[in-house]
Amino acid sequence: MKVKKLKLIIYTAVAFLILAVVAAVNVVAVYFDQALLLYLGTVGGNATGTSLSSYESDEDLRAAQQQLVRDIVDEGTVLLKNDEALPLNKSEKVTIFGQSSVYWANTGTGSAAMGGGSSEFDLKKSLEQAGFSVNGTVWDYYKNSGKEPAAGGSGQSADWSLNETDWNTLKSACGQSFGDYKDAAVVIFSRVGCEGADLPREMSRYDGLASEHYLELSSTERGLLSGLREEGFK
């Protein structure tokens, strides 16, 4: 009787151990499913649409990935109407507006964040190299304002503030320079995307209005555009 009881205890312990291992492996497999599919391939079908066996080499796979990115860019590009604003003549003198003109939104956040990048080029230098004269007073104002657009984030500590300078403040600080660089206004607004957080549907916590959401023009941005129009910028 004692032997049977001992065997039952041993069998139960072994079964429990096997169950625990299977459960742990299942959790890991679910979490790393895409990595396992890439390494092991698929069973009974194709989970991702195209298996690795479709490519004869790593070079073919990379070429297909690059083409996919190009296709996504093509399909996501918005064609804007050119209302005789472009092309600009290279002799024109322009002013660049918008806090995002000096703080590029060149990467997302979370896993989409990319470090590095070159600080050698900026919009002002690029336009000057193309032959345009650029308003340095307004450019320096934005560079030295310290009002960098916030990078978003998740939770209560997230900050989605646009930190755009309002038209009256900008005109008061830089208005004397407008007359010499009024051939065209180049206006840059930007937004960032964030892993693990939804974009705000109301901006009252982030220097905006409760009636505004993150992806629309803010009242400050609309005021800037109205001011430029009234000022006579092209």
Side-chain angles (χ1 to χ4, degrees), residues 60 72 102 108 222 226 233:
D60 290 341
I72 292 172
V102 297
R222 293 194 299 271
S226 297
F233 279 92

Side-chain angles (χ1 to χ4, degrees), residues 57-109:
S57 65
D58 290 344
E59 288 74 19
D60 290 341
L61 174 60
R62 282 193 288 271
Q65 292 171 334
Q66 291 172 351
Q67 185 58 50
L68 174 62
V69 172
R70 295 189 185 99
D71 292 342
I72 292 172
V73 171
D74 288 344
E75 294 176 12
T77 299
V78 177
L79 182 63
L80 301 180
K81 180 181 180 181
N82 180 17
D83 212 0
E84 299 184 358
L86 299 175
L88 298 175
N89 296 319
K90 289 188 176 181
S91 61
E92 291 188 301
K93 298 180 178 181
V94 303
T95 304
I96 306 172
F97 292 94
Q99 201 63 52
S100 297
S101 63
V102 297
Y103 292 103
W104 286 104
N106 59 354
T107 179
T109 61

Side-chain angles (χ1 to χ4, degrees), residues 21-80:
V21 171
V22 170
V25 170
N26 184 68
V27 171
V28 173
V30 170
Y31 189 81
F32 294 101
D33 64 327
Q34 293 302 312
L36 291 171
L37 284 173
L38 287 173
Y39 184 76
L40 300 174
T42 60
V43 177
N46 186 353
T48 58
T50 305
S51 66
L52 290 180
S53 61
S54 301
Y55 306 100
E56 296 182 357
S57 65
D58 290 344
E59 288 74 19
D60 290 341
L61 174 60
R62 282 193 288 271
Q65 292 171 334
Q66 291 172 351
Q67 185 58 50
L68 174 62
V69 172
R70 295 189 185 99
D71 292 342
I72 292 172
V73 171
D74 288 344
E75 294 176 12
T77 299
V78 177
L79 182 63
L80 301 180

Side-chain angles (χ1 to χ4, degrees), residues 85-156:
L86 299 175
L88 298 175
N89 296 319
K90 289 188 176 181
S91 61
E92 291 188 301
K93 298 180 178 181
V94 303
T95 304
I96 306 172
F97 292 94
Q99 201 63 52
S100 297
S101 63
V102 297
Y103 292 103
W104 286 104
N106 59 354
T107 179
T109 61
S111 296
M114 298 175 62
S118 174
S119 59
E120 180 181 354
F121 297 101
D122 55 42
L123 183 57
K124 179 176 182 291
K125 183 178 292 186
S126 296
L127 287 172
E128 288 174 340
Q129 288 181 349
F132 299 98
S133 297
V134 179
N135 187 334
T137 300
V138 174
W139 178 265
D140 290 340
Y141 177 85
Y142 282 123
K143 287 283 287 188
N144 299 320
S145 70
K147 297 178 66 175
E148 181 176 358
S154 59
Q156 292 299 312

